[in-house]
Structures are given as C-alpha cells and as structure tokens.
Amino acid sequence: MASQGLTYDGCNFFRQRLVLATLSGKRVKIKGVRSREDNPGLRDFEASFIRLLDKVTNGSRIEINQTGTVLFYQPGLLYGGSVEHDCNPQRSIGYYLEALLMLAPFMKTSLKATLRGVTNDPTDPTVDLLKSTAVPLMKQFGIDGEGFDIKVVKRGMAPGGGGEVIFTCPVRRSIKPVQLTDPGKIKRIRGVAYSVRVSPQMANRIVDSARSILNQFLPDIYIYTDHMKGANSGKSPGFGLTLVAETLNGCFLSAEMSSTPQGQGDPVLPEDLGRNCAKLLLEEVYRGGCVDSSNQSLALLLMTLGQQDVSKVLLGPLSPYTIEFLRHIRDFFQIMFKIEVQKPLEDERKGGDKVLMTCLGVGYSNINKSIK
Amino acid sequence: SEESESEGEAGRARDSGHCSEEEEEEGSDDEEEEDDEEDESMEEEGSAADGVVKSEEEEEQGALRWKEGLQQKASEAFLRQQEAAPNLRKLVYGSVVEADDSEEEEEELGGLFRVSRPQKSKKFQANARDCSRFNPDSSHNWDLEEMLNSIRDCFVTGKWEEGQDAA
C-alpha cells in the first residue's frame, strides 16, 4: 500500500482522483478501467486529460498498461506557465477546465492555458458557466488580481468543436478561509444566449421564452445574445443558454442548457430550451446555498486547502459527484467535514433543505510558487 | 466488524422509527373513531374498523375516505422523509463497500445460465461517466404555482425578515 499509494477501481471520478493526487503529492493507481466492456481501457478524452496534466506539471510519471485498464500516476511539481492543448472533442473544454481551475492557483508560475476543442455541449459545464460562477467563487477565497479570466475566443459546439478558450490564473501562496453562511436574496439574473452557424434570431427566441418565466420573480433580468460568425463559429451548428442569478452577498447560482449536438438525437426548439433552462435555474434556486451544484467540489477543495482556520460554507443538497469528492478528500488529505442539515422554517419560502459544511483547513501552502 | 455493526444499528433504528410512525397514525385513527361513535368500546375497534366503515358508508363516505390506505400513506411519507433527511455524515463517510457488495447477486436460469446484469453491479458504477452535473429532482414541476411560491422569498421581491431591509 505504502509503495503504491492509493488504489481505486474504475474510471469514474477520474479527474478528481488525479487532481487530488497532484495537490497532495500522493501516488495513485487506478485499475479495472472498463475492464468488462467490449472496448476496454481508457478513452481518448481521458488520455487527452492525462496529457494536459503532464503539460502543467514537471516530472510526473504516468504508466499505463497495454490494454489501458490500469493507470499508475506519480505526480510531479505543478509548473504552470504557458500551455496549449487540443482537448479531445469527446468531452467539452469544461471537462478539462474544471480540473485546471482546481490546480491553477497552486502552480509555480501563473498559468496561461489555451484550450482548443468543444466549448459547449450538454454534458459538462460549459466555459460560459465556469466563467460566470467558478471565477467569482475563487475570488472569495482570495484568488484574484489582474489576469484572472476565462475568455472565449472562438465558440465550437459539439460534436465538431473548433472553439478556443484562454484561461489565465494568478498563483497564490495560501488560500483564505471563508465564512459563506448566508447567500442573501437574489437581486438580478444575467445570462448569455449564444448561437453559432444558425440564424441569429435563435438567440432572441431563447431570450424571450426564458424571460417569460423569470419575470414572475424579478424585473432585473438581462440576457445577452452572443452570435459568433465566420472563423470564430467553430465547426458545428448549435445554440444554448447560460443563466446566472446573483445574490446581494455576491453568491452566484447558475443553470444552463445546450442544443442537442448535430446528428445525436432529436433537435430542440429554442423556445423550449429557453423555458427549460429557466426552470433549471428555479431548481437551482430551490436547492440554494452560497455555491451552486456545479461548483460544490471546487468550494470544498479550497476550504480543505485553506489556512489552519475554520471555513464554513452553506450548500444546497450534495450532488453524488460531491459526495464522492468528499470521500476522496478524506483519502488524500485526511480531512472530514462537519455536515449539518438546515431545515427551512415552517413559513419560509426559500426552497429545500440546506447543508452547512464546516472544516479546518490543512494549512496548505504552495511550495511551488517562486519568490520574487 | 465495527462497520457492519453500525450498519446493523442503522437498520434497527430505521425499523423502530417505522413502527412508531405507524403507531402514531393508528393512534390518530382511533381517536377519530371514538369521536364518531361514543358507545363503541376500545377493544373492539381494531377488528371493527371495517364494520364501522360499512355501516356508516352512506353518511360519512367523504369523511372516511382519507382513512383508506393509511398505513401505506404513512410508510410512503416516512420513506420520503428518510430520503430527504438522511444522516448525511453516515451517507458520505459510512462504509460504501459493504452496501455495494450486498447488491451483487446473480440469478440463475435452469441451473445452467447466469443472468448478467452489468448495469446494476458495482463495477458498472465504478466505470460510469465522470461528470459533475447534478440532475434536477424530477418530482419538481415548475409549472405549478405551488412550486413557484416555495422559492418566492429567495428574491429581493419576496418577503424580508424582521430587522432586514431592502435599503
């Protein structure tokens, strides 16, 4: 056990295992990757993810057996710097970016990653969503300063891709502990309705239908339309919507929906997409908390890596992915969270149960960071 | 082992919880009947419940309808509550492996063939898609006014608590 580090079975939660291994410096072995399927072993997108990890680190050792069913990873130092990567279009850039967001503040030099591939697909959080929720969340933990940005240069819808995203992030020596226990009321809703290689009218139709639902709650709603043309529009047609609700205390709750990728099932009407996305946002408001469901694990990771002080964050119900992430945090950092369920009062109309997560940070300090 | 013991305890605790819930419901049932018919004795009640329903069917059909399937309703409500408010710490940090092992049973057909259900097995879970998205609760229908009202106060346009102000 000691020589092998941690061992896991199967390819689920692949990214969180490798990310936590990198941050904690522990070796990890993942075996039985799709070993019973007709097409066993790691997929192309996973291989692409490993290559990206190899690019941002220095001295990592990665061994994969011949069938690709066993992976051994010995993490190196997080190096950062300027990185370019062609993300495999089987998954969108969000898949890769979610992991990079967790690693970027702990690099030796600040990261500038140019990622090419699919910017928006229905499976993973899109780059637009991460830009409008993950970035402000990380700022709460003291990761800010100039050049902390996710920029969509070219949009590329699934399945063709052809998009380009530039992610820049400064490095930090340590992470600030936070007390996010009261989200406050929602003061405004913003959004982006995007369309590429279809009529620009699609975006307007999405906006109208989404507004028709959200205007029941708030007058302050603004949904931008973003229609990219020519070389910036990628290889496949499509459209979608990202909605973000901002609260008085600076918390962000988001929802999104993308059109069905070309040739992969029934097409959707922009009106339906707008309405369903608005309902998803209402669901997210019902879940509530200071961090929305797609960023729960990022918040919990930054709490874990904070200075040796108590951090508290109020979340909505824990997603299955987050529950597994908590187990992995225990494996890699020996940190267990205090989990308290907060039931809403009888006459309160503030959605469902909330979960208050409390932990003591491990006092992680970024030894990679160069001193200037 | 320690873990299996705690599992067992959880099981027992759940059972006893279930019983008390039912008893409560039955208790309220009894009271109701006492009000309806004062001369009916307590001992008879359990067996006579059906008789009561029949004899007064014409007058009280509406009033008694809520009693139908009370036990089932109670157990459903209980299960719903259990799902909504599990012991989260146990759910997150409790033993996962054992819970999964119990599910792995294979059906046999004619003592010769084994029915393979890879979708249910632990192996399948372990190789499911790595995705952070949290699918919405399908029982929530956001077309209903009731649902919309349940989140009204999350917005600045909703009701404010004492001592807080929009200003």
Side-chain angles (χ1 to χ4, degrees):
Chain A
M1 208 44 193
S3 62
Q4 279 299 347
L6 291 154
T7 306
Y8 291 103
D9 231 329
C11 64
N12 205 354
F13 314 109
F14 186 73
R15 288 171 299 164
Q16 42 175 273
R17 283 168 186 165
L18 294 190
V19 163
L20 289 171
T22 312
L23 288 171
S24 65
K26 288 195 167 76
R27 282 174 279 198
V28 69
K29 185 179 180 184
I30 297 172
K31 59 185 175 61
V33 177
R34 303 192 181 90
S35 51
R36 283 167 137 188
E37 288 177 33
D38 296 340
N39 184 9
L42 295 166
R43 295 271 185 276
D44 290 345
F45 67 89
E46 281 153 339
S48 179
F49 178 75
I50 295 170
R51 274 196 293 277
L52 175 63
L53 207 55
D54 189 39
K55 279 180 190 171
V56 296
T57 56
N58 193 4
S60 296
R61 215 175 92 215
I62 299 153
E63 286 164 21
I64 300 169
N65 75 343
Q66 212 158 20
T67 48
T69 52
V70 180
L71 167 86
F72 173 76
Y73 174 62
Q74 180 179 334
L77 289 177
L78 281 164
Y79 193 79
S82 225
V83 170
E84 283 188 32
H85 188 67
D86 289 319
C87 300
N88 187 284
Q90 284 173 352
R91 299 296 288 262
S92 76
I93 291 176
Y95 173 86
Y96 307 88
L97 199 53
E98 270 186 301
L100 271 193
L101 282 165
M102 292 178 169
L103 295 172
F106 309 103
M107 304 267 178
K108 181 179 168 73
T109 55
S110 42
L111 180 74
K112 177 175 188 271
T114 309
L115 306 171
R116 296 193 193 87
V118 177
T119 54
N120 304 73
D121 78 350
T123 318
D124 289 295
T126 65
V127 284
D128 302 86
L129 184 107
L130 293 173
K131 179 190 165 88
S132 48
T133 57
V135 170
L137 173 68
M138 288 171 78
K139 283 184 179 165
Q140 303 248 32
F141 286 89
I143 304 160
D144 53 5
E146 76 279 24
F148 184 32
D149 193 25
I150 299 172
K151 196 173 167 209
V152 184
V153 183
K154 297 176 190 171
R155 202 176 281 287
M157 301 292 293
E164 186 177 311
V165 175
I166 296 178
F167 168 52
T168 48
C169 181
V171 287
R172 281 289 166 269
R173 173 159 289 276
S174 57
I175 299 295
K176 224 168 64 180
V178 294
Q179 307 278 330
L180 302 172
T181 50
D182 179 21
K185 292 186 191 295
I186 294 166
K187 60 177 176 183
R188 59 180 171 221
I189 294 174
R190 293 289 177 266
V192 182
Y194 50 85
S195 57
V196 286
R197 297 188 172 267
V198 292
S199 158
Q201 200 53 37
M202 291 292 198
N204 297 333
R205 287 162 66 184
I206 295 173
V207 173
D208 288 343
S209 57
R211 286 191 75 104
S212 71
I213 288 186
L214 298 173
N215 264 337
Q216 299 176 67
F217 293 99
L218 270 184
D220 189 358
I221 296 169
Y222 196 91
I223 302 171
Y224 300 84
T225 53
D226 176 13
H227 183 76
M228 286 198 172
K229 290 180 202 160
N232 292 341
S233 64
K235 294 174 184 164
S236 301
F239 51 87
L241 175 64
T242 307
L243 290 171
V244 179
E246 188 184 347
T247 69
L248 287 168
N249 296 353
C251 301
F252 295 82
L253 303 172
S254 65
E256 65 172 350
M257 209 169 240
S258 292
S259 61
T260 324
Q262 192 179 30
Q264 293 179 10
D266 298 329
V268 285
L269 282 175
E271 283 81 9
D272 292 343
L273 186 135
R275 263 192 302 273
N276 290 334
C277 187
K279 286 176 190 168
L280 274 184
L281 185 70
L282 297 183
E283 175 78 26
E284 200 61 52
V285 171
Y286 182 88
R287 284 175 182 159
C290 294
V291 179
D292 66 356
S293 61
S294 52
N295 289 302
Q296 284 176 349
S297 38
L298 177 63
L300 294 173
L301 176 77
L302 295 175
M303 286 168 77
T304 308
L305 298 179
Q307 288 161 26
Q308 285 195 329
D309 202 348
V310 176
S311 282
K312 282 182 190 221
V313 170
L314 188 73
L315 301 177
L318 302 179
S319 74
Y321 188 81
T322 307
I323 289 175
E324 202 60 40
F325 193 78
L326 284 168
R327 291 175 187 151
H328 282 112
I329 284 184
R330 180 187 55 179
D331 292 350
F332 285 96
F333 288 102
Q334 288 79 45
I335 289 279
M336 279 165 90
F337 282 73
K338 189 173 158 203
I339 307 170
E340 292 160 287
V341 177
Q342 292 188 343
K343 295 212 167 283
L345 301 173
E346 197 61 49
D347 57 340
E348 240 178 5
R349 298 183 299 175
K350 286 187 173 177
D353 293 355
K354 309 286 182 278
V355 184
L356 183 66
M357 306 292 293
T358 312
C359 86
L360 190 69
V362 291
Y364 187 88
S365 84
N366 182 4
I367 47 159
N368 303 326
K369 185 175 183 288
S370 52
I371 302 161
K372 282 171 196 156
Chain B
S1 74
E2 205 181 88
E3 278 167 340
S4 71
E5 259 175 45
S6 70
E7 281 285 301
E9 252 174 42
R12 252 176 281 138
R14 213 173 293 143
D15 280 345
S16 68
H18 197 201
C19 285
S20 68
E21 185 93 358
E22 262 173 42
E23 271 162 23
E24 263 176 41
E25 285 291 345
E26 272 166 14
S28 66
D29 193 1
D30 289 349
E31 276 171 35
E32 192 63 32
E33 271 169 37
E34 234 179 324
D35 291 342
D36 292 345
E37 273 187 75
E38 282 178 348
D39 50 350
E40 179 122 328
S41 71
M42 285 294 281
E43 292 95 83
E44 274 179 66
E45 239 166 35
S47 57
D50 277 357
V52 174
V53 175
K54 266 173 199 157
S55 67
E56 303 194 344
E57 211 163 19
E58 285 113 283
E59 316 168 11
E60 290 195 58
Q61 205 171 24
L64 288 178
R65 189 162 294 159
W66 64 272
K67 290 186 182 177
E68 288 166 17
L70 258 189
Q71 186 181 342
Q72 199 197 341
K73 268 188 222 165
S75 63
E76 273 172 17
F78 176 73
L79 285 176
R80 224 179 303 132
Q81 205 186 341
Q82 277 283 304
E83 259 171 51
N87 184 346
L88 264 178
R89 200 180 161 85
K90 191 168 264 179
L91 179 80
V92 174
Y93 295 123
S95 61
V96 206
V97 188
E98 281 181 50
D100 280 352
D101 276 346
S102 60
E103 282 172 23
E104 280 197 53
E105 44 186 52
E106 283 175 325
E107 276 178 63
E108 263 187 31
L109 272 183
L112 184 61
F113 301 108
R114 286 225 176 107
V115 185
S116 165
R117 296 194 201 288
Q119 274 82 356
K120 278 187 181 170
S121 76
K122 198 174 84 187
K123 276 265 168 8
F124 182 80
Q125 287 294 324
N127 279 311
R129 177 150 45 182
D130 176 20
C131 179
S132 63
R133 205 179 279 284
F134 189 11
N135 292 325
D137 189 334
S138 53
S139 67
H140 291 168
N141 181 358
W142 291 104
D143 289 323
L144 299 177
E145 194 64 25
E146 188 190 351
M147 266 333 273
L148 297 179
N149 281 334
S150 72
I151 57 167
R152 289 258 178 230
D153 294 344
C154 294
F155 297 87
V156 284
T157 48
K159 203 178 82 195
W160 288 71
E161 289 89 15
E162 295 277 314
Q164 273 192 308
D165 203 0

